């Protein structure tokens, strides 16, 4: 019994140590993006994206602006994994959006999708989103 507790304790310490060594900045970017979306702030949301690297940046800006102009968003993210990829971070996020019309009562639209992102560190040290798939998740349907 004692050895089982010791083993479980050792595994927990190893997991906690690995999480502490992981750079928290990419995780923080994802959480901040979710908060900006929930706050209805399209400009702030887009501020976390790398305009130069992100293909379709202007299309995404139009989609997010249209979405937040017509709906209130409740956003919840669960970061499933973060892996290294040539200096970037590949992030898988289980993302849930609940959207309600701004102009009066209406049905709640719930969207849930496994989103794959690439987060890149800029020369300034800031982390920005370089890819977001599928972008349709953020479009007005």
């Amino acid at each position: 019994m004692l050895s089982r507790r010791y083993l479980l304790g050792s595994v927990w310490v190893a997991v906690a140590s690995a999480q502490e060594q992981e750079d928290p900045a990419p995780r923080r970017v994802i959480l901040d993006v979710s908060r900006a979306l929930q706050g209805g702030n399209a400009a702030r949301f887009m501020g976390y994206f790398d305009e130069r690297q992100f293909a379709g940046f202007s299309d995404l800006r139009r989609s997010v602006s249209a979405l937040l102009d017509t709906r209130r968003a409740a956003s919840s993210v669960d970061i499933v994994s973060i892996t290294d990829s040539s200096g970037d971070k590949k992030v898988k996020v289980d993302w849930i959006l609940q959207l309600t019309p701004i102009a009066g009562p209406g049905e709640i639209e719930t969207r849930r999708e496994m989103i794959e992102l690439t987060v890149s560190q800029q020369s300034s040290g800031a982390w920005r989103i370089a890819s977001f798939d599928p972008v349709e998740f953020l479009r007005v349907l």
Side-chain angles (χ1 to χ4, degrees):
M1 193 68 162
L2 181 61
S3 62
R4 184 179 291 170
R5 286 185 188 161
Y6 177 76
L7 179 61
L8 290 174
S10 298
V11 168
W12 183 84
V13 169
V15 169
S17 296
Q19 287 176 341
E20 286 174 11
Q21 291 176 0
E22 180 183 283
D23 187 349
R27 181 176 298 276
R28 181 65 175 207
V29 167
I30 303 306
L31 296 174
D32 288 346
V33 163
S34 176
R35 284 187 205 103
L37 194 60
Q38 184 158 309
N41 193 331
R44 184 174 206 163
F45 178 86
M46 292 306 300
Y48 292 102
F49 288 77
D50 184 339
E51 187 172 358
R52 290 173 289 133
Q53 284 188 323
F54 193 94
F57 181 86
S58 59
D59 290 338
L60 179 63
R61 179 177 34 221
R62 279 191 296 277
S63 292
V64 170
S65 293
L67 183 71
L68 295 178
D69 284 347
T70 59
R71 293 168 177 79
R72 287 186 187 89
S75 177
S76 175
V77 293
D78 180 21
I79 299 170
V80 176
S81 67
I82 299 177
T83 56
D84 287 321
S85 176
S86 304
D88 295 338
K89 303 290 184 183
K90 298 288 185 184
V91 184
K92 287 187 180 180
V93 179
D94 183 6
W95 204 315
I96 300 172
L97 274 183
Q98 288 189 320
L99 304 166
T100 55
I102 289 176
E107 290 188 31
I108 296 174
E109 175 188 352
T110 300
R111 298 179 186 180
R112 184 174 189 174
E113 188 85 38
M114 188 64 66
I115 305 295
E116 295 186 9
L117 302 104
T118 302
V119 184
S120 302
Q121 190 169 27
Q122 310 296 294
S123 58
S124 66
W127 288 84
R128 295 286 179 258
I129 298 171
S131 71
F132 185 105
D133 186 46
V135 294
E136 292 79 18
F137 183 69
L138 298 171
R139 293 206 172 120
V140 175
L141 300 178

